[in-house]
mmCIF file of all heavy atoms in Angstrom:
data_model
loop_
_atom_site.group_PDB
_atom_site.id
_atom_site.type_symbol
_atom_site.label_atom_id
_atom_site.label_comp_id
_atom_site.label_asym_id
_atom_site.label_seq_id
_atom_site.Cartn_x
_atom_site.Cartn_y
_atom_site.Cartn_z
ATOM 1 N N ASP A 1 -18.921 -12.674 4.094
ATOM 2 C CA ASP A 1 -18.375 -11.417 4.603
ATOM 3 C C ASP A 1 -18.100 -10.402 3.496
ATOM 4 O O ASP A 1 -17.763 -9.251 3.788
ATOM 5 C CB ASP A 1 -17.074 -11.669 5.376
ATOM 6 C CG ASP A 1 -17.301 -12.506 6.623
ATOM 7 O OD1 ASP A 1 -18.409 -12.408 7.205
ATOM 8 O OD2 ASP A 1 -16.387 -13.270 6.999
ATOM 9 N N TYR A 2 -18.222 -10.818 2.238
ATOM 10 C CA TYR A 2 -17.894 -9.932 1.128
ATOM 11 C C TYR A 2 -19.159 -9.536 0.367
ATOM 12 O O TYR A 2 -20.119 -10.308 0.270
ATOM 13 C CB TYR A 2 -16.915 -10.597 0.167
ATOM 14 C CG TYR A 2 -15.514 -10.735 0.716
ATOM 15 C CD1 TYR A 2 -15.164 -11.840 1.498
ATOM 16 C CD2 TYR A 2 -14.545 -9.774 0.465
ATOM 17 C CE1 TYR A 2 -13.882 -11.977 2.010
ATOM 18 C CE2 TYR A 2 -13.260 -9.898 0.968
ATOM 19 C CZ TYR A 2 -12.935 -10.998 1.741
ATOM 20 O OH TYR A 2 -11.680 -11.123 2.248
ATOM 21 N N TYR A 3 -19.142 -8.351 -0.196
ATOM 22 C CA TYR A 3 -20.250 -7.906 -1.046
ATOM 23 C C TYR A 3 -19.771 -6.788 -1.957
ATOM 24 O O TYR A 3 -18.769 -6.105 -1.666
ATOM 25 C CB TYR A 3 -21.450 -7.446 -0.209
ATOM 26 C CG TYR A 3 -21.209 -6.217 0.640
ATOM 27 C CD1 TYR A 3 -21.526 -4.936 0.171
ATOM 28 C CD2 TYR A 3 -20.676 -6.325 1.927
ATOM 29 C CE1 TYR A 3 -21.310 -3.807 0.950
ATOM 30 C CE2 TYR A 3 -20.461 -5.213 2.709
ATOM 31 C CZ TYR A 3 -20.780 -3.952 2.220
ATOM 32 O OH TYR A 3 -20.562 -2.831 2.989
ATOM 33 N N PHE A 4 -20.483 -6.602 -3.072
ATOM 34 C CA PHE A 4 -20.182 -5.508 -3.993
ATOM 35 C C PHE A 4 -21.044 -4.291 -3.636
ATOM 36 O O PHE A 4 -22.189 -4.430 -3.190
ATOM 37 C CB PHE A 4 -20.447 -5.917 -5.445
ATOM 38 C CG PHE A 4 -19.452 -6.905 -5.984
ATOM 39 C CD1 PHE A 4 -19.828 -8.224 -6.262
ATOM 40 C CD2 PHE A 4 -18.140 -6.530 -6.220
ATOM 41 C CE1 PHE A 4 -18.919 -9.139 -6.758
ATOM 42 C CE2 PHE A 4 -17.219 -7.437 -6.719
ATOM 43 C CZ PHE A 4 -17.605 -8.745 -6.987
ATOM 44 N N HIS A 5 -20.483 -3.120 -3.881
ATOM 45 C CA HIS A 5 -21.198 -1.892 -3.504
ATOM 46 C C HIS A 5 -20.867 -0.777 -4.497
ATOM 47 O O HIS A 5 -19.699 -0.536 -4.811
ATOM 48 C CB HIS A 5 -20.793 -1.467 -2.087
ATOM 49 C CG HIS A 5 -21.336 -0.132 -1.679
ATOM 50 N ND1 HIS A 5 -22.685 0.115 -1.513
ATOM 51 C CD2 HIS A 5 -20.712 1.057 -1.404
ATOM 52 C CE1 HIS A 5 -22.862 1.370 -1.159
ATOM 53 N NE2 HIS A 5 -21.691 1.960 -1.090
ATOM 54 N N PHE A 6 -21.911 -0.119 -5.019
ATOM 55 C CA PHE A 6 -21.716 1.071 -5.855
ATOM 56 C C PHE A 6 -21.510 2.285 -4.951
ATOM 57 O O PHE A 6 -22.276 2.494 -4.001
ATOM 58 C CB PHE A 6 -22.944 1.323 -6.737
ATOM 59 C CG PHE A 6 -23.041 0.414 -7.930
ATOM 60 C CD1 PHE A 6 -23.751 -0.770 -7.865
ATOM 61 C CD2 PHE A 6 -22.424 0.748 -9.120
ATOM 62 C CE1 PHE A 6 -23.855 -1.604 -8.960
ATOM 63 C CE2 PHE A 6 -22.514 -0.076 -10.222
ATOM 64 C CZ PHE A 6 -23.229 -1.257 -10.142
ATOM 65 N N ASN A 7 -20.513 3.085 -5.273
ATOM 66 C CA ASN A 7 -20.249 4.293 -4.486
ATOM 67 C C ASN A 7 -20.964 5.485 -5.120
ATOM 68 O O ASN A 7 -20.578 5.947 -6.197
ATOM 69 C CB ASN A 7 -18.746 4.565 -4.429
ATOM 70 C CG ASN A 7 -18.423 5.824 -3.641
ATOM 71 O OD1 ASN A 7 -19.198 6.244 -2.794
ATOM 72 N ND2 ASN A 7 -17.281 6.428 -3.927
ATOM 73 N N PRO A 8 -22.009 6.025 -4.469
ATOM 74 C CA PRO A 8 -22.824 7.080 -5.095
ATOM 75 C C PRO A 8 -22.357 8.501 -4.798
ATOM 76 O O PRO A 8 -22.992 9.449 -5.233
ATOM 77 C CB PRO A 8 -24.198 6.851 -4.454
ATOM 78 C CG PRO A 8 -23.863 6.384 -3.073
ATOM 79 C CD PRO A 8 -22.581 5.591 -3.191
ATOM 80 N N ARG A 9 -21.269 8.643 -4.062
ATOM 81 C CA ARG A 9 -20.906 9.969 -3.572
ATOM 82 C C ARG A 9 -20.725 10.981 -4.704
ATOM 83 O O ARG A 9 -21.137 12.130 -4.591
ATOM 84 C CB ARG A 9 -19.608 9.885 -2.753
ATOM 85 C CG ARG A 9 -19.249 11.175 -2.037
ATOM 86 C CD ARG A 9 -17.941 11.011 -1.290
ATOM 87 N NE ARG A 9 -16.845 10.774 -2.209
ATOM 88 C CZ ARG A 9 -15.677 10.264 -1.855
ATOM 89 N NH1 ARG A 9 -15.477 9.892 -0.603
ATOM 90 N NH2 ARG A 9 -14.715 10.105 -2.731
ATOM 91 N N SER A 10 -20.133 10.564 -5.804
ATOM 92 C CA SER A 10 -19.854 11.494 -6.897
ATOM 93 C C SER A 10 -21.115 11.924 -7.644
ATOM 94 O O SER A 10 -21.081 12.889 -8.412
ATOM 95 C CB SER A 10 -18.866 10.870 -7.888
ATOM 96 O OG SER A 10 -19.433 9.698 -8.461
ATOM 97 N N LEU A 11 -22.237 11.215 -7.434
ATOM 98 C CA LEU A 11 -23.454 11.532 -8.187
ATOM 99 C C LEU A 11 -24.194 12.734 -7.619
ATOM 100 O O LEU A 11 -24.811 13.491 -8.361
ATOM 101 C CB LEU A 11 -24.400 10.330 -8.198
ATOM 102 C CG LEU A 11 -23.883 9.047 -8.852
ATOM 103 C CD1 LEU A 11 -24.996 8.016 -8.879
ATOM 104 C CD2 LEU A 11 -23.386 9.316 -10.265
ATOM 105 N N TYR A 12 -24.157 12.880 -6.304
ATOM 106 C CA TYR A 12 -24.928 13.955 -5.684
ATOM 107 C C TYR A 12 -24.316 15.308 -6.004
ATOM 108 O O TYR A 12 -23.093 15.476 -6.015
ATOM 109 C CB TYR A 12 -25.008 13.749 -4.170
ATOM 110 C CG TYR A 12 -25.848 12.571 -3.777
ATOM 111 C CD1 TYR A 12 -25.262 11.351 -3.442
ATOM 112 C CD2 TYR A 12 -27.227 12.662 -3.746
ATOM 113 C CE1 TYR A 12 -26.034 10.251 -3.096
ATOM 114 C CE2 TYR A 12 -28.014 11.569 -3.387
ATOM 115 C CZ TYR A 12 -27.410 10.377 -3.062
ATOM 116 O OH TYR A 12 -28.182 9.297 -2.717
ATOM 117 N N ASN A 13 -25.188 16.258 -6.254
ATOM 118 C CA ASN A 13 -24.747 17.588 -6.662
ATOM 119 C C ASN A 13 -24.569 18.469 -5.429
ATOM 120 O O ASN A 13 -25.532 18.983 -4.866
ATOM 121 C CB ASN A 13 -25.778 18.215 -7.615
ATOM 122 C CG ASN A 13 -25.282 19.517 -8.203
ATOM 123 O OD1 ASN A 13 -24.196 19.986 -7.887
ATOM 124 N ND2 ASN A 13 -26.075 20.102 -9.073
ATOM 125 N N TYR A 14 -23.328 18.615 -4.993
ATOM 126 C CA TYR A 14 -23.010 19.481 -3.868
ATOM 127 C C TYR A 14 -22.193 20.663 -4.373
ATOM 128 O O TYR A 14 -21.306 20.507 -5.218
ATOM 129 C CB TYR A 14 -22.187 18.742 -2.812
ATOM 130 C CG TYR A 14 -22.900 17.600 -2.138
ATOM 131 C CD1 TYR A 14 -22.498 16.286 -2.342
ATOM 132 C CD2 TYR A 14 -23.968 17.832 -1.288
ATOM 133 C CE1 TYR A 14 -23.140 15.231 -1.724
ATOM 134 C CE2 TYR A 14 -24.626 16.785 -0.656
ATOM 135 C CZ TYR A 14 -24.207 15.487 -0.882
ATOM 136 O OH TYR A 14 -24.856 14.455 -0.266
ATOM 137 N N GLU A 15 -22.472 21.828 -3.838
ATOM 138 C CA GLU A 15 -21.607 22.965 -4.106
ATOM 139 C C GLU A 15 -20.328 22.801 -3.284
ATOM 140 O O GLU A 15 -20.337 22.198 -2.202
ATOM 141 C CB GLU A 15 -22.303 24.271 -3.740
ATOM 142 C CG GLU A 15 -23.491 24.596 -4.652
ATOM 143 C CD GLU A 15 -24.109 25.939 -4.319
ATOM 144 O OE1 GLU A 15 -23.598 26.602 -3.391
ATOM 145 O OE2 GLU A 15 -25.089 26.316 -4.983
ATOM 146 N N LEU A 16 -19.227 23.345 -3.792
ATOM 147 C CA LEU A 16 -17.942 23.203 -3.114
ATOM 148 C C LEU A 16 -18.011 23.761 -1.696
ATOM 149 O O LEU A 16 -17.418 23.210 -0.765
ATOM 150 C CB LEU A 16 -16.849 23.919 -3.919
ATOM 151 C CG LEU A 16 -15.418 23.771 -3.391
ATOM 152 C CD1 LEU A 16 -15.027 22.301 -3.331
ATOM 153 C CD2 LEU A 16 -14.441 24.549 -4.264
ATOM 154 N N ARG A 17 -18.776 24.841 -1.510
ATOM 155 C CA ARG A 17 -18.909 25.430 -0.180
ATOM 156 C C ARG A 17 -19.581 24.456 0.781
ATOM 157 O O ARG A 17 -19.165 24.313 1.928
ATOM 158 C CB ARG A 17 -19.721 26.721 -0.272
ATOM 159 C CG ARG A 17 -19.951 27.433 1.050
ATOM 160 C CD ARG A 17 -20.688 28.734 0.821
ATOM 161 N NE ARG A 17 -21.938 28.503 0.093
ATOM 162 C CZ ARG A 17 -22.707 29.488 -0.362
ATOM 163 N NH1 ARG A 17 -22.353 30.749 -0.199
ATOM 164 N NH2 ARG A 17 -23.832 29.204 -1.003
ATOM 165 N N ASP A 18 -20.603 23.756 0.321
ATOM 166 C CA ASP A 18 -21.281 22.774 1.168
ATOM 167 C C ASP A 18 -20.351 21.621 1.511
ATOM 168 O O ASP A 18 -20.316 21.146 2.658
ATOM 169 C CB ASP A 18 -22.524 22.243 0.462
ATOM 170 C CG ASP A 18 -23.559 23.321 0.205
ATOM 171 O OD1 ASP A 18 -23.562 24.318 0.954
ATOM 172 O OD2 ASP A 18 -24.357 23.170 -0.742
ATOM 173 N N MET A 19 -19.598 21.146 0.511
ATOM 174 C CA MET A 19 -18.668 20.047 0.746
ATOM 175 C C MET A 19 -17.591 20.447 1.751
ATOM 176 O O MET A 19 -17.236 19.653 2.635
ATOM 177 C CB MET A 19 -18.025 19.612 -0.568
ATOM 178 C CG MET A 19 -18.997 19.007 -1.565
ATOM 179 S SD MET A 19 -18.218 18.586 -3.144
ATOM 180 C CE MET A 19 -17.033 17.353 -2.621
ATOM 181 N N ALA A 20 -17.063 21.672 1.617
ATOM 182 C CA ALA A 20 -16.022 22.135 2.534
ATOM 183 C C ALA A 20 -16.565 22.240 3.955
ATOM 184 O O ALA A 20 -15.874 21.894 4.926
ATOM 185 C CB ALA A 20 -15.486 23.481 2.065
ATOM 186 N N THR A 21 -17.804 22.690 4.106
ATOM 187 C CA THR A 21 -18.407 22.818 5.430
ATOM 188 C C THR A 21 -18.573 21.450 6.081
ATOM 189 O O THR A 21 -18.255 21.259 7.264
ATOM 190 C CB THR A 21 -19.781 23.512 5.329
ATOM 191 O OG1 THR A 21 -19.604 24.809 4.750
ATOM 192 C CG2 THR A 21 -20.422 23.652 6.696
ATOM 193 N N ILE A 22 -19.074 20.471 5.321
ATOM 194 C CA ILE A 22 -19.257 19.117 5.841
ATOM 195 C C ILE A 22 -17.908 18.491 6.186
ATOM 196 O O ILE A 22 -17.736 17.876 7.247
ATOM 197 C CB ILE A 22 -20.007 18.249 4.824
ATOM 198 C CG1 ILE A 22 -21.415 18.798 4.587
ATOM 199 C CG2 ILE A 22 -20.083 16.805 5.301
ATOM 200 C CD1 ILE A 22 -22.158 18.126 3.450
ATOM 201 N N ALA A 23 -16.934 18.659 5.292
ATOM 202 C CA ALA A 23 -15.607 18.088 5.523
ATOM 203 C C ALA A 23 -14.959 18.690 6.760
ATOM 204 O O ALA A 23 -14.342 17.983 7.568
ATOM 205 C CB ALA A 23 -14.730 18.318 4.292
ATOM 206 N N ASP A 24 -15.098 19.997 6.928
ATOM 207 C CA ASP A 24 -14.526 20.660 8.102
ATOM 208 C C ASP A 24 -15.153 20.122 9.387
ATOM 209 O O ASP A 24 -14.462 19.874 10.384
ATOM 210 C CB ASP A 24 -14.747 22.170 7.990
ATOM 211 C CG ASP A 24 -14.173 22.927 9.185
ATOM 212 O OD1 ASP A 24 -12.938 22.905 9.359
ATOM 213 O OD2 ASP A 24 -14.967 23.521 9.949
ATOM 214 N N ASP A 25 -16.456 19.925 9.373
ATOM 215 C CA ASP A 25 -17.161 19.411 10.543
ATOM 216 C C ASP A 25 -16.692 17.996 10.883
ATOM 217 O O ASP A 25 -16.490 17.664 12.061
ATOM 218 C CB ASP A 25 -18.663 19.437 10.281
ATOM 219 C CG ASP A 25 -19.468 18.956 11.470
ATOM 220 O OD1 ASP A 25 -19.523 19.683 12.477
ATOM 221 O OD2 ASP A 25 -20.034 17.842 11.392
ATOM 222 N N GLN A 26 -16.511 17.155 9.860
ATOM 223 C CA GLN A 26 -16.049 15.788 10.092
ATOM 224 C C GLN A 26 -14.608 15.759 10.583
ATOM 225 O O GLN A 26 -14.235 14.913 11.400
ATOM 226 C CB GLN A 26 -16.157 14.967 8.798
ATOM 227 C CG GLN A 26 -17.557 14.886 8.212
ATOM 228 C CD GLN A 26 -18.522 14.172 9.137
ATOM 229 O OE1 GLN A 26 -18.326 13.022 9.476
ATOM 230 N NE2 GLN A 26 -19.559 14.882 9.552
ATOM 231 N N TYR A 27 -13.809 16.705 10.107
ATOM 232 C CA TYR A 27 -12.395 16.744 10.459
ATOM 233 C C TYR A 27 -12.181 17.159 11.913
ATOM 234 O O TYR A 27 -11.446 16.511 12.668
ATOM 235 C CB TYR A 27 -11.662 17.695 9.512
ATOM 236 C CG TYR A 27 -10.182 17.838 9.792
ATOM 237 C CD1 TYR A 27 -9.315 16.765 9.587
ATOM 238 C CD2 TYR A 27 -9.654 19.037 10.258
ATOM 239 C CE1 TYR A 27 -7.950 16.891 9.837
ATOM 240 C CE2 TYR A 27 -8.303 19.179 10.519
ATOM 241 C CZ TYR A 27 -7.453 18.098 10.308
ATOM 242 O OH TYR A 27 -6.112 18.227 10.559
ATOM 243 N N ILE A 28 -12.827 18.235 12.334
ATOM 244 C CA ILE A 28 -12.596 18.758 13.688
ATOM 245 C C ILE A 28 -13.242 17.886 14.762
ATOM 246 O O ILE A 28 -12.929 18.019 15.947
ATOM 247 C CB ILE A 28 -13.110 20.210 13.820
ATOM 248 C CG1 ILE A 28 -14.630 20.259 13.656
ATOM 249 C CG2 ILE A 28 -12.401 21.114 12.836
ATOM 250 C CD1 ILE A 28 -15.202 21.666 13.839
ATOM 251 N N ARG A 29 -14.108 16.986 14.370
ATOM 252 C CA ARG A 29 -14.735 16.074 15.342
ATOM 253 C C ARG A 29 -14.023 14.728 15.400
ATOM 254 O O ARG A 29 -14.492 13.807 16.079
ATOM 255 C CB ARG A 29 -16.208 15.867 15.003
ATOM 256 C CG ARG A 29 -17.042 17.126 15.131
ATOM 257 C CD ARG A 29 -18.477 16.888 14.707
ATOM 258 N NE ARG A 29 -19.244 18.121 14.694
ATOM 259 C CZ ARG A 29 -19.845 18.651 15.758
ATOM 260 N NH1 ARG A 29 -19.762 18.052 16.936
ATOM 261 N NH2 ARG A 29 -20.521 19.775 15.668
ATOM 262 N N GLY A 30 -12.937 14.587 14.674
ATOM 263 C CA GLY A 30 -12.167 13.347 14.715
ATOM 264 C C GLY A 30 -12.808 12.199 13.974
ATOM 265 O O GLY A 30 -12.496 11.036 14.235
ATOM 266 N N ILE A 31 -13.711 12.483 13.036
ATOM 267 C CA ILE A 31 -14.391 11.430 12.276
ATOM 268 C C ILE A 31 -13.624 11.083 11.004
ATOM 269 O O ILE A 31 -13.543 9.923 10.599
ATOM 270 C CB ILE A 31 -15.830 11.867 11.937
ATOM 271 C CG1 ILE A 31 -16.621 12.092 13.231
ATOM 272 C CG2 ILE A 31 -16.525 10.834 11.059
ATOM 273 C CD1 ILE A 31 -18.000 12.659 13.012
ATOM 274 N N MET A 32 -13.039 12.101 10.351
ATOM 275 C CA MET A 32 -12.238 11.902 9.149
ATOM 276 C C MET A 32 -10.874 12.532 9.357
ATOM 277 O O MET A 32 -10.766 13.608 9.970
ATOM 278 C CB MET A 32 -12.915 12.549 7.931
ATOM 279 C CG MET A 32 -14.277 11.975 7.581
ATOM 280 S SD MET A 32 -15.119 12.938 6.275
ATOM 281 C CE MET A 32 -14.067 12.618 4.875
ATOM 282 N N ASP A 33 -9.809 11.857 8.861
ATOM 283 C CA ASP A 33 -8.490 12.491 8.926
ATOM 284 C C ASP A 33 -8.319 13.437 7.740
ATOM 285 O O ASP A 33 -9.168 13.499 6.842
ATOM 286 C CB ASP A 33 -7.371 11.445 8.988
ATOM 287 C CG ASP A 33 -7.286 10.568 7.748
ATOM 288 O OD1 ASP A 33 -7.416 11.105 6.633
ATOM 289 O OD2 ASP A 33 -7.076 9.346 7.891
ATOM 290 N N GLY A 34 -7.218 14.161 7.729
ATOM 291 C CA GLY A 34 -7.012 15.181 6.712
ATOM 292 C C GLY A 34 -6.990 14.634 5.301
ATOM 293 O O GLY A 34 -7.530 15.246 4.375
ATOM 294 N N ASN A 35 -6.364 13.480 5.113
ATOM 295 C CA ASN A 35 -6.285 12.916 3.764
ATOM 296 C C ASN A 35 -7.633 12.354 3.295
ATOM 297 O O ASN A 35 -7.914 12.340 2.096
ATOM 298 C CB ASN A 35 -5.207 11.833 3.711
ATOM 299 C CG ASN A 35 -3.813 12.439 3.550
ATOM 300 O OD1 ASN A 35 -3.665 13.513 2.948
ATOM 301 N ND2 ASN A 35 -2.809 11.784 4.109
ATOM 302 N N GLU A 36 -8.439 11.877 4.229
ATOM 303 C CA GLU A 36 -9.784 11.452 3.856
ATOM 304 C C GLU A 36 -10.606 12.642 3.376
ATOM 305 O O GLU A 36 -11.375 12.547 2.422
ATOM 306 C CB GLU A 36 -10.477 10.768 5.035
ATOM 307 C CG GLU A 36 -9.940 9.387 5.340
ATOM 308 C CD GLU A 36 -10.566 8.770 6.574
ATOM 309 O OE1 GLU A 36 -10.841 9.514 7.539
ATOM 310 O OE2 GLU A 36 -10.783 7.544 6.588
ATOM 311 N N VAL A 37 -10.417 13.775 4.047
ATOM 312 C CA VAL A 37 -11.111 14.997 3.626
ATOM 313 C C VAL A 37 -10.635 15.419 2.247
ATOM 314 O O VAL A 37 -11.433 15.767 1.368
ATOM 315 C CB VAL A 37 -10.883 16.126 4.652
ATOM 316 C CG1 VAL A 37 -11.386 17.461 4.097
ATOM 317 C CG2 VAL A 37 -11.580 15.802 5.962
ATOM 318 N N ARG A 38 -9.322 15.392 2.021
ATOM 319 C CA ARG A 38 -8.776 15.780 0.723
ATOM 320 C C ARG A 38 -9.262 14.839 -0.378
ATOM 321 O O ARG A 38 -9.583 15.279 -1.479
ATOM 322 C CB ARG A 38 -7.246 15.787 0.785
ATOM 323 C CG ARG A 38 -6.665 16.895 1.645
ATOM 324 C CD ARG A 38 -5.130 16.839 1.671
ATOM 325 N NE ARG A 38 -4.585 17.051 0.343
ATOM 326 C CZ ARG A 38 -4.376 18.243 -0.220
ATOM 327 N NH1 ARG A 38 -4.683 19.343 0.442
ATOM 328 N NH2 ARG A 38 -3.854 18.349 -1.420
ATOM 329 N N ASN A 39 -9.329 13.553 -0.093
ATOM 330 C CA ASN A 39 -9.834 12.595 -1.076
ATOM 331 C C ASN A 39 -11.297 12.876 -1.395
ATOM 332 O O ASN A 39 -11.725 12.787 -2.549
ATOM 333 C CB ASN A 39 -9.670 11.174 -0.541
ATOM 334 C CG ASN A 39 -10.216 10.130 -1.512
ATOM 335 O OD1 ASN A 39 -9.735 9.977 -2.635
ATOM 336 N ND2 ASN A 39 -11.237 9.403 -1.078
ATOM 337 N N TRP A 40 -12.076 13.242 -0.380
ATOM 338 C CA TRP A 40 -13.498 13.550 -0.576
ATOM 339 C C TRP A 40 -13.671 14.770 -1.471
ATOM 340 O O TRP A 40 -14.615 14.871 -2.236
ATOM 341 C CB TRP A 40 -14.147 13.772 0.790
ATOM 342 C CG TRP A 40 -15.631 13.711 0.765
ATOM 343 C CD1 TRP A 40 -16.412 12.664 0.371
ATOM 344 C CD2 TRP A 40 -16.531 14.753 1.145
ATOM 345 N NE1 TRP A 40 -17.736 12.977 0.496
ATOM 346 C CE2 TRP A 40 -17.853 14.256 0.967
ATOM 347 C CE3 TRP A 40 -16.372 16.044 1.634
ATOM 348 C CZ2 TRP A 40 -18.979 14.999 1.252
ATOM 349 C CZ3 TRP A 40 -17.502 16.792 1.928
ATOM 350 C CH2 TRP A 40 -18.779 16.273 1.722
#
C-alpha cells in the first residue's frame, strides 16, 4: 500500500496569473479548500 513519489509541481513553469486562475477554478468547484490553494 506504500510507495515513494517525486512531487513535480514546483518544476513546471507557470505564470502567477495562470496559477491563480487554476486555483480559483478548483476552489469554487469544491475541489480544493482555501488552505490547499494557498499552499499551492
Side-chain angles (χ1 to χ4, degrees):
D1 296 330
Y2 288 86
Y3 65 94
F4 289 111
H5 173 66
F6 283 92
N7 179 24
R9 188 182 64 198
S10 62
L11 299 185
Y12 291 100
N13 187 358
Y14 295 112
E15 292 184 1
L16 184 59
R17 179 177 55 187
D18 297 335
M19 294 177 63
T21 301
I22 297 172
D24 180 65
D25 182 71
Q26 302 296 300
Y27 179 68
I28 65 177
R29 295 177 186 275
I31 298 174
M32 298 172 67
D33 63 42
N35 279 330
E36 287 176 324
V37 170
R38 291 180 63 83
N39 179 63
W40 196 59

